[in-house]
Amino acid sequence: MIIKSRTHIPYLASDGESIMPIIPAKTVIFFPGETISLQVGRPGNLSLVNENVGKDMLVGVCFSPSGDPGSDDFDLCQVGTAAKIISAKDGPSDSKIISIEGIRRIAIRSIKGKNPYLSARVGFPDEKTGMQNEINRLSNAIVGIIEQITHVDPTYSDELAYVMKFNLGSPGQFADKIAAAFHLPLDSKQEILETMQIDARLARLLEFLKIEQERVAISYEIRKSVEENSAEEQRKLYLRQQLYEIRRQLGEELIEDKIAQQLRNEIKKNKLLPADVRDRALIEVDRLGHLSTASAEYGATKVYLDWLLNIPWNIHTKEDLNIDQIEEDIACEYYGSPQIKKQMLERIAVRQLSGGISEGPVLCLAGVPGTGKASLARAIAKAMHKKFFRISVGGMTDIADIKGSARNFPGATPGIIIRSLRDAGTCDPVIFIEDLEYFAEDATTALPMSLLEAIDPRLNSHFLDNYIGLSIDLSRAMFICAVKSVDGIPEMMTHRFEVIELSGYIEKEKIHIARKHIIPNVLKKHGLRRKDIIFSDKGLRRIIRSYTLEAGLLNFRRQIERICRHVAKEKASHVSKIWMVNEKTVEGFLGTLQYIPEKPDTAPEIGVAIGLAWTGLGGDLMIIEGLKMKGNGEVITTGSLGEVMKESIQAAHSYVRAKADVLGIDHNDFDNFDIHIHFPQGAIPKDGPSAGVTVSLVIASVMAERPIRHDVAMTGEVTLRGKVLPVGGIKEKISAAYRAGIPKIFVPKENKKDLKDLPADIIKKTKFIFIDTVDEVFARGLLDFSPSSYTLEKIFAQEIEKARNKKSASPAKKMPQVK
């Protein structure tokens, strides 16, 4: 595409038009009267050069700002310069270096062809002179600006203004030569080339030279300031060196020597420093003695020496541990699952037997906030008489955050691991690393691997921090990581982690922890005494049920803190009394109830069953509703359900349909009626297979038109053959049913072993019905109001008895004997 000139182009009628080869120039604006060298490499341009070199033939040179002239999509400025190719010689990569001389301006009227090279039909513009007085004024102004520019900018020759004065007799040539000699932008040069009126060309040139003058002036000021500052710094440095040498010759005590000697003595007295660290420190002290205290290098060297001497090299806590005593200490500080405490004691025992070094995988605690991850780590450190240090890696994006930055960078410091050791004062603290899932969100592979170098016992015996530059043994430190869920662990770390999942606390456990740990700590922080405020169990239970919705203890603690702040305010106002926090007074402290627990119905209903669910906030009731209506046998599901739960509903529907005869359901009903299964609280996503038992009972209820018992809750996964499989979160689910006052719970038989972690009062007050098949759920969950004495429960009892007799009567297969 031809880029038209910004101004009107008058043509010389006498010269007419001619066909001329065109060289598209990418990096230069070529003016008449100028001789330059160009490198050409495109096949078309090489053909053009070969045909026209050394001949009295004109070729056009036009600026091409974008595109490839060999393609259909390229740009070419309309105004260019007709030139002669003076000479050509071979260049690199099969190119040619040509010398060309500009003759006159040309203007492209149209493109004639592209093969074998670009050619165009061109005309010759008529350059008008204009008013002579205006030309003289502009020329004198241009000469003055040129003199100023060349005076302050060393990139221009001082003789440039003097040479240009020889061209004043030809104003057009004068403007062209100045535009070619100065470092003007390409679009500015092209605009000058396109201006045919001489006085207008000089005016545009003057504008562009003023802009260049401003740029040169700014550069000159900056360069002058830098030179002055450098000279002043050199002068001060020279004077300091003279003063230093004079004082040394006079025998005066220098502060540099005094500090260096103190550091040297400190290094020699420290017997715990490894040999390589001592050697490096002595080298740095010698350098420090030859530096001025005012120099930046002195400060950086002094800071580095301080780090070397403050790192606890070879400082360890005595590993003389009593496992029984540690068990008591952990039990005193941490209230949680005995199985988790057992795993902790096993790791500590292995560490003790291996001389204080852990060779196994890194311990990672997974649990929602408030489930005691940090408390457990702190209890371990206290029981082992070790320093506890807590760091967060959330938001780290650079390897330097972990391994430090090189000393040659301004403001360089060691990474967070070395800083933690310095603050702990020993090489074997318990370091608790949390927020690992946020650390992994934007991290590259290099960042988690850098952390693994520090915490993995296979790698950390020679951990190298980039700032310190010397290896340090981290194998005696105990690293404990923490995440909210197993999914938050970076993929490259999973194979080196031993994950221990911390489940949420049930209501009774929360009350116990509040009395033993939370309330005493909160009262102490708020300046209150135990006798100032009394919490009843019913009051704490009301806080848990109506003001918190969580598996952990964070919000529970915050609500207790709110109550204590209220009491502290009144006590500071000289109110003297004992504040009671019970079921009736909680609302006065905390305001309107924030959560209303879901309650079961008070009477049996058709198509309504009580399921049990586990969420990140703990156990909860899940009332599942079903409805039968005229249709085509479709199963409709609502309630923000995931794919696994939808498949579980389909499996339950298929099994109920297979048992239609036993349930007294007409087979045609499955083709003539639609079933709608709804899970309330539709804004909350739900997934998992554990509602299979509940959904099976709901579908059987709506199709058989039999009500479901309202005093029983249930959980369990269902197979297509009607088997009930075990599920997770049993402790939390049973706790939710207990809170709601449901006396009976259907539990998969294989989950019977999970009941041992439940409090004794829940086991005592709840009747557990262990189920192995869905038929047992139908027999005990559906109510039969039929007048027939042959009730549904009897039918299923007979079915179950037949299945058991058949199983016991079948002969056992003999295993083949291997000789």
Side-chain angles (χ1 to χ4, degrees), residues 514 518-519 522 535 540 543 555-565 590:
I518 297 177
I519 293 175
V522 173
F535 290 87
L540 293 173
I543 295 173
N555 288 326
F556 185 35
R557 182 189 182 95
R558 288 170 185 159
Q559 300 302 334
I560 293 174
E561 288 174 346
R562 283 183 61 190
I563 295 173
C564 290
R565 286 196 295 270
L590 300 179

Side-chain angles (χ1 to χ4, degrees), residues 89-103:
K89 60 182 181 179
D90 294 336
S93 302
D94 297 328
S95 64
K96 286 187 178 294
I97 307 297
I98 63 173
S99 295
I100 56 174
E101 178 187 1
I103 304 300

Side-chain angles (χ1 to χ4, degrees), residues 17-90:
E17 296 181 359
S18 63
I19 306 300
M20 188 176 293
I22 302 295
I23 299 178
K26 288 288 186 182
T27 59
V28 66
I29 305 295
F30 188 41
F31 286 89
E34 185 183 8
T35 301
I36 63 171
S37 295
L38 285 179
Q39 182 180 5
V40 294
R42 289 188 58 253
N45 290 340
L46 291 174
S47 299
L48 185 153
V49 170
N50 291 331
E51 291 185 14
N52 294 275
V53 64
K55 300 178 182 179
D56 193 19
M57 299 287 293
L58 293 180
V59 298
V61 179
C62 297
F63 179 56
S64 176
S66 61
D68 182 6
S71 65
D72 294 333
D73 184 18
F74 75 99
D75 294 331
L76 194 67
C77 290
Q78 182 182 14
V79 178
T81 302
K84 289 183 179 180
I85 302 176
I86 301 172
S87 64
K89 60 182 181 179
D90 294 336

Side-chain angles (χ1 to χ4, degrees), residues 723 772 801-812:
K723 300 292 182 182
D772 195 27
E801 187 65 27
K802 288 179 182 178
R804 287 175 178 170
N805 292 337
K806 185 178 180 181
K807 184 177 181 181
S808 60
S810 59

Side-chain angles (χ1 to χ4, degrees), residues 741-754:
I742 299 174
K744 298 177 182 179
I745 303 175
F746 290 161
V747 179
K749 186 175 292 185
E750 292 186 30
N751 282 119
K752 187 174 183 179
K753 61 182 183 301
D754 298 324

